[in-house]
Amino acid sequence: MIQAIIFDMDGLLIDSEPIWLEAAQHTMRKINFKLTEELKQQTTGLACQLFLEYCHKIQPWDTPTFDEMEAEIISYAHAKILSSATAMPGAIDLVKDLHRRGMPLAVASASHMELIEGVLDRLSLRQYFTTWHSGTLEEFTKPHPAVYLSTALKLGVPPQACLAIEDSHAGLQSARSAGMTTISVPAPEVFHHSKFEIADFKLASLAEFDFASLVEVASNRP
């Protein structure tokens, strides 16, 4: 049986992916690095450090340092997300509905803890979540399963009894590797990409989430 539901945050609960892209473009201009649409799709959902490592393999640079670039991207994105980002379609209603049904909820994000808590407060959702966890507190973040395994531990629920909801492929890999039932909610431009077929379910938006049918099917998953 599904005993808890774990949400990703960026691009799933809050419409922050365009802001992260804007922050990356702003910083990467300093080294004349162009972020293509293909690269954007390949790196969505990665922690900032992993994003920079990915870019460095394509076009190496010496200065600024990784730490300096990471700090600038994060500072730019955090400020704009917490001041102007809005909820993704269906997110607030779904969280409230699941809470009303008595389902323990958590957030497992690659973002820093301060941003997770800031977003929950911006969306007025903190009260509905049992716990939340950041991949930055783990040795390895998404697509490694650590952040999901630690979140399940904080919930006190076996990973196999958790339903994880993700928008990115990296996050989807993380949740699947943790042994969780998965729902993928890809961005429209990549919705039909075959890489998201590894999810147990795929939705165009959280507004499509039907608790009764999805949880019933997920509970009968081998």
Side-chain angles (χ1 to χ4, degrees):
M1 293 291 294
I2 295 299
Q3 299 175 26
I5 296 179
I6 304 176
F7 288 81
D8 174 48
M9 185 184 75
D10 287 295
L12 185 77
L13 290 177
I14 195 161
D15 189 11
S16 56
E17 292 297 353
I19 295 175
W20 280 109
L21 176 61
E22 180 183 327
Q25 289 173 326
H26 173 79
T27 300
M28 299 303 280
R29 283 195 206 104
K30 293 185 175 182
I31 57 169
N32 297 315
F33 190 105
K34 183 178 181 181
L35 291 175
T36 64
E37 183 63 29
E38 181 181 4
L39 183 60
K40 170 195 165 187
Q41 293 179 11
Q42 291 170 339
T43 57
T44 296
L46 291 182
C48 192
Q49 185 72 18
L50 293 180
F51 163 75
L52 289 171
E53 290 175 2
Y54 192 99
C55 293
H56 191 267
K57 291 177 181 178
I58 297 172
Q59 180 183 312
W61 69 87
D62 295 320
T63 57
T65 67
F66 271 33
D67 288 346
E68 290 170 337
M69 295 185 73
E70 180 181 20
E72 182 170 329
I73 292 172
I74 289 173
S75 176
Y76 185 109
H78 282 202
K80 194 155 189 179
I81 290 168
L82 295 179
S83 66
S84 61
T86 57
M88 293 294 287
I92 292 177
D93 287 343
L94 176 58
V95 168
K96 290 181 177 180
D97 179 61
L98 293 173
H99 181 267
R100 186 170 57 249
R101 294 172 183 272
M103 181 65 67
L105 306 177
V107 171
S109 173
S111 287
H112 288 70
M113 190 67 82
E114 65 182 53
L115 184 60
I116 297 172
E117 294 178 344
V119 164
L120 292 180
D121 288 338
R122 175 169 177 77
L123 300 181
S124 299
L125 292 178
R126 188 192 281 241
Q127 62 187 317
Y128 302 108
F129 284 88
T130 302
T131 190
W132 43 88
H133 189 56
S134 166
T136 64
L137 301 177
E138 302 287 347
E139 182 179 1
F140 302 104
T141 188
K142 300 177 184 180
H144 193 278
V147 65
Y148 273 105
L149 294 173
S150 292
T151 303
L153 187 63
K154 292 174 77 170
L155 284 165
V157 175
Q160 295 78 9
C162 293
L163 176 65
I165 311 179
E166 276 280 356
D167 69 299
S168 73
H169 185 244
L172 182 58
Q173 288 177 300
S174 175
R176 277 184 55 83
S177 296
M180 299 182 179
T181 301
T182 54
I183 295 178
S184 177
V185 190
E189 62 268 22
V190 294
F191 182 82
H192 295 292
H193 198 293
S194 60
K195 66 184 179 182
F196 294 103
E197 299 305 324
I198 62 172
D200 295 290
F201 308 96
K202 188 168 72 167
L203 305 176
S205 126
L206 289 178
E208 292 185 354
F209 189 103
D210 179 76
F211 181 86
S213 61
L214 286 174
V215 172
E216 179 182 356
V217 173
S219 297
N220 294 323
R221 177 174 172 257

